[in-house]
C-alpha cells in the first residue's frame, strides 16, 4: 500500500469484497485533496473506492470498476460530519461532473466528463432515486461558505507572527 497524496493512501480504495486494487485516477485524488482543503476537513473517509467485477455493490458498468470514483464522508475539525448536500456542493465546486447524494452524510463522486466514461455528466440522489440527467442546468451549489474559506491559512498567521517579531526587534534596536 502506498501514499497517493498528503491525505489519501491506496489502502483506503481497495475493493470491499476481495481487497484488490488498481491504480486510482490521479484526477480523482487531486480533486479529493481540493475538497479536503475547501472543507477544512479533519478527514475524508472513503466508504467505497475501487470495485472489482465480482463486487455485488453497484452496477456492472459503474465508475468504481474503473478506479475513477469514490463514495465519501467528510468530517469537520470538530468531529461532526458534513451533510451529503454539503459534500455534493463542494464536489461540484472542485470540478466533479459525476455526483450522487447518499443520505444522510455520504456522497458519490467520479471523474466522468474529464476521463473516459459512457456518460459525461450525472447529478443524482442515490437514496431517493431522483436523477437530474436530463436537467443539465442542475446545480448543488447553494453559496455555502465552507470552513476552508472562512479561516485564514495557518501559513498566513505564521507570517503575520513573524512580521510582528521583526517589528518588535527593530523597535528595540532603534529606541
Ligand atoms: Zn472484489
Ligand atoms: Zn459510488
Amino acid at each position: 500500500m502506498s501514499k497517493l497524496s498528503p491525505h489519501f493512501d491506496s489502502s483506503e480504495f481497495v475493493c470491499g469484497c476481495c481487497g484488490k486494487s488498481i491504480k486510482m485516477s490521479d484526477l480523482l485524488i487531486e480533486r479529493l485533496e481540493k475538497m479536503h482543503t475547501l472543507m477544512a476537513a479533519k478527514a475524508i473517509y472513503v466508504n467505497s473506492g475501487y470495485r472489482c467485477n465480482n463486487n455485488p455493490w453497484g452496477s456492472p458498468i459503474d465508475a468504481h470498476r474503473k478506479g475513477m470514483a469514490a463514495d465519501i464522508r467528510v468530517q469537520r475539525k470538530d468531529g461532526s460530519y458534513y451533510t451529503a448536500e454539503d459534500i455534493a456542493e463542494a464536489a461540484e465546486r472542485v470540478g466533479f461532473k459525476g455526483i450522487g447524494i447518499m443520505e444522510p452524510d455520504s456522497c458519490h463522486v467520479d471523474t466522468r466528463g474529464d476521463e473516459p466514461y459512457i456518460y459525461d455528466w450525472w447529478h443524482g440522489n442515490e437514496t431517493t432515486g431522483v436523477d437530474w440527467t436530463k436537467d443539465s442546468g442542475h446545480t448543488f451549489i447553494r453559496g455555502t461558505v465552507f470552513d476552508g474559506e472562512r479561516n485564514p491559512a495557518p501559513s498566513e498567521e505564521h507570517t503575520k507572527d513573524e512580521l510582528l517579531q521583526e517589528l518588535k526587534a527593530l523597535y528595540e534596536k532603534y529606541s
Side-chain angles (χ1 to χ4, degrees):
M1 295 301 119
S2 60
K3 218 167 164 57
L4 300 172
S5 70
H7 298 102
F8 297 96
D9 190 273
S10 61
S11 62
E12 298 171 87
F13 295 87
V14 299
C15 180
C17 82
C18 59
K20 283 185 196 141
S21 61
I22 56 168
K23 163 96 178 62
M24 296 305 291
S25 153
D26 291 329
L27 184 62
L28 174 73
I29 305 302
E30 186 188 314
R31 286 180 177 165
L32 289 176
E33 280 292 342
K34 282 185 183 165
M35 288 178 70
H36 200 289
T37 302
L38 174 63
M39 303 177 91
K42 180 178 186 185
I44 293 183
Y45 294 104
V46 180
N47 300 337
S48 180
Y50 170 62
R51 286 177 195 153
C52 77
N53 287 330
N54 298 324
N55 192 316
W57 289 97
S59 86
I61 51 150
D62 82 27
H64 289 273
R65 313 217 184 252
K66 302 183 78 179
M68 55 188 275
D71 297 343
I72 55 172
R73 285 204 302 159
V74 184
Q75 191 176 28
R76 290 188 189 85
K77 292 231 158 68
D78 67 6
S80 65
Y81 286 85
Y82 281 102
T83 64
E85 287 78 8
D86 289 334
I87 304 172
E89 175 167 1
E92 188 177 343
R93 284 178 51 182
V94 303
F96 280 116
K97 297 178 183 73
I99 303 170
I101 280 181
M102 302 162 89
E103 306 284 2
D105 59 7
S106 300
C107 188
H108 165 105
V109 296
D110 70 61
T111 59
R112 76 182 68 193
D114 299 292
E115 296 188 303
Y117 190 64
I118 37 172
Y119 309 109
D120 284 340
W121 188 90
W122 174 63
H123 281 185
N125 184 320
E126 299 196 36
T127 310
T128 61
V130 174
D131 187 325
W132 292 280
T133 302
K134 291 190 176 69
D135 175 15
S136 62
H138 179 270
T139 178
F140 288 112
I141 296 174
R142 306 153 300 172
T144 304
V145 178
F146 288 102
D147 291 346
E149 302 172 281
R150 201 178 280 129
N151 301 326
S155 60
E156 240 172 83
E157 282 180 318
H158 184 63
T159 306
K160 271 183 212 158
D161 224 43
E162 280 175 343
L163 205 63
L164 206 64
Q165 290 301 320
E166 279 170 35
L167 282 171
K168 269 186 192 161
L170 277 173
Y171 179 77
E172 279 158 20
K173 192 174 173 184
Y174 292 106
S175 63

